[in-house]
Amino acid sequence: MGLVLAATGSAIGLGNLWKFPFITWDNNGGAFVLVYLLCIAAVGLPIMMAELLIGRSTQKSVVGALKEAVGPAWGLVGGWGVLCGFILLSYYTVIAGWSLFYFAKTVGWSMSGYPAGLATGDLFGEQAGNGGLQLMLSLGFSLATVWVVYFGIQKGIERIARLLLPVLLGILLLLLVSALGMSGSGEALAFIFRPNFAELEPTGVLEALGHSFFTLSLGMGAMITYGSYIPRGHSIAKASAIIVALDTLIALLATIIMFSVIFSVAGMAEQVGGSAVGMLFISLPELFYSEVPFGRILGPLFYVLVALAALTSTMSLLEVVASYIIDEHGVGRHKATLMCGGAIFVFTILAAISFGAVPFVTTLELGGALGDLLFGGKVGWFSMADHFVSNWMLPTGGLAVTLAAGWFMSRDATRSELSDGTEPAWFRYGAWRFFIRFVAPAAVAAIIVAVIFFGVDFS
Ligand code: PHE
């Protein structure tokens, strides 16, 4: 169970608390949420099973696992995943660091009162643009991540996941109770759950699909790596269902909470529009002190929740990179963790200073057709890296996994791995095989085509 919790922790992260509410907002709720749920079930769940089964059947981390399960050339696909983990972790810790900043701020406000007339937008800009502060925050977060992974799977990752996940759920439920009591909760529920297909753009469908990879930690080997630690005799289908269901539940709860608050305040809905950053780090901090019942307690708790959710994700990212070095290059865990953590932090520095601190990095861009294709014309190191990972690395990695499990591995191999452990009643091997061979790759190929030909953006 520890590993399933750790994998759930990997899935639950900034994607659930930061990205999902924003894209749901941006795509007008209802219909988008329904499409997202379909993507999770038809693409996310089968790929989750595929990654876990590849990991468990070989008991190796991503590069070794793909080499052994499919063939030597597939080590390259594994390497692509390791690189993806490296890049993703390097900028993820910057956003995670913001949650530390807002935690400290809200604790201060709860104790000595919310400063009258504070412009939260300015506060956000100042902290993000303060290079020294950004380095400290992301360094703090990176050190916490290294610390966990340093102690290994059982004593580090599993233990922290067991400890943090219940805390995370507890905080979320407290927030939910408070939010449901607010006047905007009815409107929020209707916005999220009442589908109106006239309001869904085709690009929204692809955005839902792209996000399902990010939020489930698929397409870069995190679940292959974690799968390698799942003991024999445990049902992969059941583990996958638990991870996917909990991840989806948390994303929906977080969205209900945030929207209940936003709809409770006159004029807030119009103000939020702008960006994901706006919702979590500009609108909410103030609302905890003006609108939310028990906000003085819930405010700091909310940012603890964001930080904890992020930590259980960053540790899985570092584990992908470190376990590759450990398994394929024979380096010991302690040394490998420190080396990888240090190397990744060099790139974190670039991400940390790309919110105004260093103009050159903030305004960095690659022009022309290639820049548009690879980075969607994004400006600044952080945005470019996020665009490349979300639009290119995860979808291509995900496609490779569907091909590996659906077309390159034998029917016997996947069948026996999936039937090791008591299969849940809903599970049908034939159905899984159909989804992994046809439905999932077609859907992922659609994302890639959309990115290339229609310039759709999933980041
Ligand atoms: N699933 C994490 C989130 O939702 C992000 C992540 C992606 C973590 C890939 C690990 C691997 O925030």
Side-chain angles (χ1 to χ4, degrees), residues 7-17 19 84-85 88 92 211 213-223 247 309-310 312-314 316-317 320 389 394:
T8 307
S10 168
I12 298 170
L14 298 172
N16 305 60
L17 305 174
K19 275 191 176 182
C84 180
L88 181 44
Y92 200 95
H211 184 67
F213 279 98
F214 187 90
T215 190
L216 294 175
S217 307
L218 297 173
M220 47 76 65
M223 291 300 169
D247 183 78
T312 52
S313 295
T314 53
S316 74
L317 288 162
V320 170
V389 165
L394 297 180

